[in-house]
Amino acid sequence: MRVLGVNGWPGASHDGAACLVVDGEVVALAEEERFTRNKHAYGEAPLNAAAHCLAEGGCTLDDIDVVAHGWDLPRLFGDRGLDWFADDADALEHLLPKALFPRSRDPRLTFVNHHVAHAASAYHLSGRDRGAILVLDGQGEDVSTTLAVGIDGEIKTLRSQTPGWSLGYFYAAVCEYAGLGADAAGKMMGLASYGTPQDLTFGGALDFTDEDFTVHVVPPDLRSTGSTDEETATIRHWLRHLENVLPDAPNRSAHRFDPRVGRYTKVTDRDPFEYRDIAATAQAALERAVTALVRGLLRESGETTLLVAGGVGFNATLNGKLMRMPEVQDLFVQPLAGDQGVSLGAAVWCAAREGDRVRPMEGSVAWGPRWDAGAIRRLLEASGTAYTEPADIAAATADVLAAGGVAGWFQGRAEGGPRALGHRSMVAVPNPDGTRDRVNVRIKDREAWRPFAPSMQEEVAEALIGTTTPLPYMIVTTPVTEAGAAVMPAVVHSDRTTRPQTVSAEVDPLYHRLIGEVGEHTGTPVVLNTSFNGRDEPVVCSPRDALATFHRLPMDALALGPFLVRRPDGAVGEAGT
């Protein structure tokens, strides 16, 4: 069976994505933002992403049995009194128009409940036969939290929370209050470790029990009018309450023209770092609420395996706490935890219901576009870029890093999700500590307190982070050992944790070898790994993206497939100083 899973809708969505699942196996997946270069692809249908998936599978929509969307849009629109299409043919044409996707027949169009799609992405791709499932995000059609259990291929919902009690919206409201912006959960998670938690109830707004939480400032039955979600209304309730109970006034922001960059940029009244205690309090409150939910979920389900999806699942600090809960014997966090992942979840949900055996994830999410050496060479020559073709690109790049350089690493298929995992990465030696500042401030033009993550050969994980548990997706934080702190200070956060990626030679032989070559120079096979992109832009996708970003940002080298591009003056380690 061929299923094209999608997320995104013209004018009313974010994180548009598409994936192709054939006979239960993921053949391709891509996010629309990677093609349009519009971060999160707000309001964009997954046109380029779907075209990529079809091309990768060597098929057209004529060959697709089902198009599965990760939202039950007919129900959502109907419940809100909004107009919907007369039939599925009109809806499919709006989503994937025939002018762009010629076809002689329409595949079946299926709309999958949003939290069911999230749950399916965690359960069916985890490789586990059974487990408790926790879905946490802003909201789906009419819920923000779902507790479920997966057994023998079936997903059963146990209970849920309404959108007004969304932990995702609570966290977003505090982000906005601190001047980070509502869509900055990752930033606030990093900022939180610098602060000290205060009143976790936020002035009585939250209550916690051993197995649940309660919100007092937002009506549980909150319902917006003229909108498909409760995000704006919920955040407004929270901001009004926070302004009444917090000692610091909200960090107001405005857009002002910045001659330095030649466009309007957001400017806050105060440095968001001053709100670190508020960030720490929100993080601690989130952790307390979620650990309570997990405790109740595992007791109710009788399971010891926990499967997590939904946008809150990107909170690696929270995930680290979940992994270390005594009740949790096995944890799988879907690396495509956000809405890009519901394209995957909707597809595997449909495939499983039709009897296909879904092949689990095996340590990689590199299902995106790829370019061969010939195409990359033609681009380099057409652009007039000087390059070399080393006998061993891993060894040549390691030489650059060992000399203090920062390099772009562009290899193979693009990854999905927000974490670069060795295919579209920016890499450096994670020692000395000052490397963090150089990459943060001089290269990526972002806050100096933002943390970085290490990619390490899995063989040395126990020595550096004290565990042999494979952590291939950079989505769980762990404490760092004394030895780890000594050899990779640039990726150790202020709370003495890090967000590691353990790299397997079987899953990613080239990246594993690059890290090993670095280890030949430094004594430890580990690199600083961050996404290959500039500020406020998506991760690079194509060789053209990579080359443009390299020329714009003061990196020292670019490993573009088998080719190595260096700064014209060859001043390794000095670019941007």
Side-chain angles (χ1 to χ4, degrees):
M1 183 178 186
R2 293 183 177 91
V3 184
L4 182 69
V6 293
N7 179 60
W9 196 256
S13 63
H14 60 86
D15 293 309
C19 75
L20 178 64
V21 174
V22 177
D23 298 333
E25 181 174 356
V26 180
V27 172
L29 180 144
E31 296 178 63
E32 190 66 14
E33 66 163 24
R34 302 296 210 267
F35 302 94
T36 64
R37 312 307 299 158
N38 172 26
K39 194 167 186 178
H40 295 300
Y42 288 107
E44 296 179 350
L47 302 176
N48 296 280
H52 156 71
C53 291
L54 294 172
E56 187 67 31
C59 57
T60 69
L61 275 187
D62 280 331
D63 305 302
I64 298 299
D65 298 300
V66 180
V67 173
H69 197 289
W71 286 83
D72 190 345
L73 293 176
R75 174 189 161 198
L76 177 64
F77 278 59
D79 285 351
R80 304 298 175 122
L82 302 173
D83 291 336
W84 187 247
F85 297 90
D87 53 38
D88 284 351
D90 288 344
L92 184 65
E93 175 63 18
H94 186 68
L95 176 65
L96 302 173
K98 290 179 181 177
L100 299 178
F101 297 89
R103 52 192 182 269
S104 59
R105 52 169 283 277
D106 282 346
R108 187 169 86 243
L109 180 60
T110 296
F111 293 95
V112 181
N113 176 276
H114 188 62
H115 275 211
V116 169
H118 272 310
S121 76
Y123 173 52
H124 289 303
L125 289 157
S126 69
R128 281 74 164 175
D129 291 330
R130 58 188 300 152
I133 306 169
L134 178 64
V135 178
L136 292 163
D137 60 5
Q139 74 174 91
E141 292 82 4
D142 55 5
V143 297
S144 61
T145 301
T146 294
L147 286 73
V149 62
I151 301 176
D152 297 332
E154 297 293 328
I155 296 172
K156 177 185 177 182
T157 297
L158 301 178
R159 54 192 171 97
S160 60
Q161 296 278 19
T162 58
W165 285 17
S166 167
L167 291 173
Y169 289 163
F170 153 70
Y171 206 79
V174 181
C175 286
E176 189 165 319
Y177 194 91
L180 295 168
D183 189 19
K187 289 185 182 182
M188 194 165 79
M189 181 187 72
L191 178 61
S193 68
Y194 293 95
T196 302
Q198 308 294 321
D199 172 19
L200 300 195
T201 73
F202 281 89
L206 294 167
D207 273 340
F208 308 95
T209 66
D210 285 345
E211 296 187 354
D212 210 342
F213 71 95
T214 305
V215 177
H216 295 295
V217 297
V218 185
D221 58 350
L222 176 70
R223 188 75 165 206
S224 299
T225 57
S227 173
T228 56
D229 61 54
E230 278 65 54
E231 179 176 13
T232 300
T234 301
I235 290 178
R236 187 183 300 118
H237 276 280
W238 271 109
L239 291 176
R240 186 182 304 120
H241 176 78
L242 295 175
E243 194 163 356
N244 288 332
V245 301
L246 292 178
D248 293 299
N251 194 8
R252 308 291 185 188
S253 65
H255 281 81
R256 297 174 187 153
F257 186 78
D258 184 349
R260 183 178 63 91
V261 296
R263 62 176 180 270
Y264 278 89
T265 60
K266 191 180 83 167
V267 179
T268 54
D269 291 343
R270 299 166 62 185
D271 184 346
F273 191 75
E274 297 177 28
Y275 290 75
R276 58 194 177 276
D277 287 348
I278 295 173
T281 307
Q283 178 68 29
L286 175 71
E287 292 168 7
R288 184 164 176 180
V290 176
T291 52
L293 288 173
V294 167
R295 200 172 292 114
L297 171 60
L298 296 182
R299 180 195 56 76
E300 185 175 351
S301 66
E303 301 294 327
T304 57
T305 292
L306 177 64
L307 314 171
V308 178
V312 177
F314 282 133
N315 193 302
T317 303
L318 167 65
N319 296 337
K321 301 289 175 63
L322 298 180
M323 185 173 70
R324 292 185 286 278
M325 287 180 68
E327 298 91 341
V328 177
Q329 295 182 13
D330 180 25
L331 174 69
F332 174 77
V333 182
Q334 168 56 257
L336 302 170
D339 275 10
Q340 65 280 95
V342 298
S343 64
L344 188 61
V348 297
W349 183 81
C350 286
R353 285 175 64 87
E354 294 293 332
D356 286 346
R357 184 174 181 83
V358 177
R359 181 174 176 178
M361 300 176 73
E362 296 177 342
S364 175
V365 289
W367 296 311
R370 55 185 150 194
W371 285 262
D372 62 25
I376 296 173
R377 187 194 298 274
R378 288 191 292 274
L379 171 65
L380 290 168
E381 292 181 348
S383 66
T385 302
Y387 67 92
T388 60
E389 187 174 359
D392 184 342
I393 189 63
T397 305
D399 289 343
V400 173
L401 304 188
V406 178
W409 178 256
F410 180 105
Q411 304 294 335
R413 298 183 73 172
E415 303 107 337
R419 314 293 183 213
L421 299 171
H423 289 235
R424 302 291 186 272
S425 292
M426 197 181 293
V427 289
V429 171
N431 196 0
D433 184 58
T435 303
R436 180 193 299 112
D437 290 341
R438 183 185 170 216
V439 179
N440 259 336
V441 179
R442 296 174 181 169
I443 295 179
K444 299 201 79 170
D445 187 28
R446 65 183 201 174
E447 300 86 351
W449 43 263
R450 297 278 292 278
F452 288 115
S455 294
M456 62 188 67
Q457 289 187 336
E458 63 179 5
E459 296 88 337
V460 300
E462 186 172 15
L464 300 182
I465 57 174
T467 181
T468 58
T469 301
L471 297 170
Y473 302 118
M474 205 181 281
I475 202 166
V476 175
T477 59
T478 65
V480 175
T481 65
E482 291 289 341
V487 299
M488 53 180 195
V491 295
V492 178
H493 205 28
S494 61
D495 58 359
R496 195 60 179 271
T497 66
T498 196
R499 178 168 45 89
Q501 177 196 10
T502 59
V503 181
S504 159
E506 181 180 359
V507 172
D508 199 339
L510 181 59
Y511 193 43
H512 185 274
R513 192 155 57 79
L514 168 68
I515 299 168
E517 291 289 342
V518 170
E520 291 295 318
H521 290 278
T522 65
T524 309
V526 59
V527 297
L528 179 155
N529 172 16
T530 185
S531 54
F532 190 173
N533 60 323
R535 182 171 185 168
D536 298 327
E537 69 179 14
V539 180
V540 301
C541 179
S542 70
R544 190 177 299 275
D545 299 334
L547 195 59
T549 301
F550 169 72
H551 284 312
R552 189 175 71 257
L553 303 184
M555 293 183 287
D556 300 290
L558 169 61
L560 194 58
F563 309 110
L564 187 66
V565 180
R566 293 176 179 262
R567 290 291 165 199
D569 60 4
V572 172
E574 297 178 2
T577 60

